[in-house]
Amino acid sequence: NKSGRKSTEMADPVYPGDVLHKSAPLIEWSYEQQLGMKSTHIKTAVRAFTKQVAQKCKDLNQPEPSWTSHAWSKASGAPLGCACPLDDIIGTPADSLEGYRNKCEFSIGWDANGEVECGFVQRITDDGFGRLVASCEEVPLVPQVMKRLCQAVRDCARTSKFAIFKRGKGWKSGFWRLVMARFSGSELLVMVQTATATGEEKEQLCAEIRAALTQESLQLNVVSIYLQFNDEVSDAARPTAPLELIYGQSQLRMKLLGLAFDIGPLSFYQANSITCELLYGRALEWLQPKEEVAVLDVCCGVGTIGLCASQKCRKVIGIELVPEAVESAKANAALNEIHNTEWTVGKAEDVLPKLLEEMDPSLQVSAVVDPPRPGLHHVVLRALRSCSQLSRIVYVSCNPDSLVEDVVKLTMPSENDEDPFVPVRAVAVDMFPHTLHCEMILLLERMSQVKDPRKTEAPAAAPADEATNDT
C-alpha cells in the first residue's frame, strides 16, 4: 500500500483452485461467521475515516472535529474509535443464500479433459491466452435455471458447426465466447457473445442459438435473446460492440419495492434482488424523502433508488454518465406513472455544480450517491459540500476503501465551510453471501443539524412513590 495507510480490504483466504472456492471463497464458513467478518470489515472502514480526519487536522495544526473524539464515540454508542454507531449487518435471508444472483456471465471453452464446457473460468493457461473452463453446477451463487441454461449452451456448442473461440499471440479463430443471463425470478434474458458472423453464416448461428435456448423441455422460459459480436482478444466487449436482438422482447421486467423496472442486457442492476430491497429500504429510511425535499440521485443508473424515493418527495433529479441508462430511467418512470423526476446525462462532475446552483432555493435537498468502485470525483464532492441547501447524504458504497477517501473530503474542517458533513450512522449490507464482497451505507448530515451526544440530558429521576413500588 503506497499510501502507508492500512487498507480496509478483507484478506483473501487460502482456498483450493476449483471453481467453487474461486466463486464462493467463504463457503467453508458458516453464514453467521461470514456476517461477523463483513461487520468487522465495515467497522474498520468507519475507524479509518475517523482516524484519518483526526490525523489530518493534527498535521495541519488545526482543531480536530469533536466527532472524532473517544468521548463522542462513547456517548453515541459507537464502537471504540468509530465516529458513528453501526447498525446490525443486513444479511441475505436464509432462504435466499443459494441461487441469489439475478445476473451471471459464463465462459464457453474447454474443461480439464478437453471437453467443451459452459461455466466459469478455472484458470488461464500458461501462455496467458487460453481459458480452462469448469462447470458451475456446484456453485451456490448460481440459480438452478442458469445452470440448466449452461447445459443447453454447452450441448449446443458441442454439436455446433461453429468452433469455440481461441486466441494466441497475434492470432484468433472460432466463434463461441460467452453467455450472459439475467433472471427476473420467472423469465430469462440471455446474451450470447461470439466472434463476428455475417450473411448466411450469421443466420445459421442465430438459428442454432434460438433452437437451443427455447426448447420447452428445458423449462428455461427465455423471453429475450441477444447476439453480441466481439472480435477483441478480451471477452470484455467495447461499448460500441454490435448487439442485436435475435429473439423475443427487448427487455426484462424486474420488480423492486412495488415498482417495475425494464432492463436490457447491458443495464446496471443490483445482482441480488432480495437483499437489494433491504438495502434500498434502509437507504430510503435514512434519506427521509418528504414533500418539501428534492432528492438528488447521483450515479443513478436506470433510476432504481430515485424512483423508489419519488413517491414521498417533491421531485427526484437523477444524474448518470451512460445515455442508455438515462433513457431506461425515463422509460421506467413512465412505466410506473411517475411524473416528478428529471434525468440528466453527463459526468456528475460536469453536471452537478451548475444543477445545484440553479436549484429552487425554497427546497430542501437530500442526496443519495451510489458510485462505481473508484468513488466520487473530487469536483462532485466539492459541489455537494458547497451546496448549503443540501443537508443530508446517503452514501451507498460497493468499495469501503474509496468511501473512506470520499468521507474524509466531505467532513474535513475548512475555513471556507463552517458547516461540513458529519458521519451519523453506518451499516454493512451483505449482498453477496459466500464471497468477499460487502456493501455499505453511510448517513452524513450537516454539523449544524447533528446533536452532540455528549450533551444529551440524563433521563429524569422517577417519582419517589414509583421508584419504591415493587408491584
Side-chain angles (χ1 to χ4, degrees), residues 225-246:
I225 303 175
Y226 280 85
L227 180 62
Q228 182 184 58
F229 289 144
N230 177 19
D231 295 319
E232 304 292 326
V233 171
S234 170
D235 289 333
R238 295 177 184 273
T240 55
L243 181 67
E244 182 180 337
L245 178 68
I246 63 170

Side-chain angles (χ1 to χ4, degrees), residues 50-187:
T50 306
K51 185 176 180 180
Q52 285 182 34
V53 169
Q55 187 60 51
K56 276 183 176 252
C57 289
K58 284 181 183 176
D59 294 345
L60 294 169
N61 220 12
Q62 64 186 51
E64 298 163 40
S66 54
W67 57 265
T68 63
S69 70
H70 288 301
W72 182 289
S73 176
K74 184 178 179 181
S76 67
L80 183 65
C82 292
C84 63
L86 278 76
D87 288 3
D88 291 340
I89 186 170
I90 299 172
T92 292
D95 59 358
S96 300
L97 291 175
E98 295 194 359
Y100 61 78
R101 286 196 64 96
N102 60 44
K103 179 192 175 186
C104 289
E105 229 173 65
F106 308 100
S107 295
I108 305 169
W110 291 273
D111 64 15
N113 298 316
E115 295 288 336
V116 171
E117 185 57 87
C118 178
F120 292 143
V121 174
Q122 185 170 349
R123 67 177 178 86
I124 304 296
T125 54
D126 293 341
D127 62 6
F129 291 100
R131 277 98 169 119
L132 197 67
V133 177
S135 168
C136 63
E137 194 60 39
E138 301 302 317
V139 179
L141 289 56
V142 181
Q144 289 298 325
V145 67
M146 290 193 192
K147 293 177 181 179
R148 297 198 300 274
L149 171 70
C150 284
Q151 293 169 7
V153 173
R154 176 200 65 198
D155 293 346
C156 176
R158 284 180 177 179
T159 58
S160 173
K161 62 167 284 187
F162 298 95
I164 307 299
F165 185 79
K166 295 168 66 176
R167 71 210 93 190
K169 191 171 183 180
W171 63 270
K172 296 170 288 188
S173 67
F175 288 88
W176 296 101
R177 299 191 65 146
L178 62 79
V179 59
M180 183 279 296
R182 291 182 180 274
F183 184 48
S184 70
S186 59
E187 298 176 333

Side-chain angles (χ1 to χ4, degrees), residues 406-421:
D406 289 352
V407 171
V408 170
K409 292 170 185 170
L410 286 167
T411 60
M412 268 294 292
S414 166
E415 292 181 2
N416 303 324
D417 181 4
E418 297 179 356
D419 201 11
F421 284 98

Side-chain angles (χ1 to χ4, degrees), residues 344-400:
T344 303
V345 179
K347 292 181 179 179
E349 59 267 28
D350 295 339
V351 171
L352 188 61
K354 187 171 186 293
L355 193 152
L356 289 174
E357 284 177 16
E358 297 173 351
M359 186 73 67
D360 180 348
S362 68
L363 286 175
Q364 297 176 33
V365 182
S366 296
V368 57
V369 298
D370 187 4
R373 289 191 66 79
L376 292 167
H377 192 280
H378 66 90
V379 174
V380 174
L381 293 165
R382 195 181 309 127
L384 291 172
R385 184 165 169 159
S386 63
C387 177
S388 58
Q389 288 173 257
L390 178 61
S391 58
R392 177 183 298 258
I393 298 174
V394 174
Y395 194 130
V396 179
S397 173
C398 60
N399 181 7

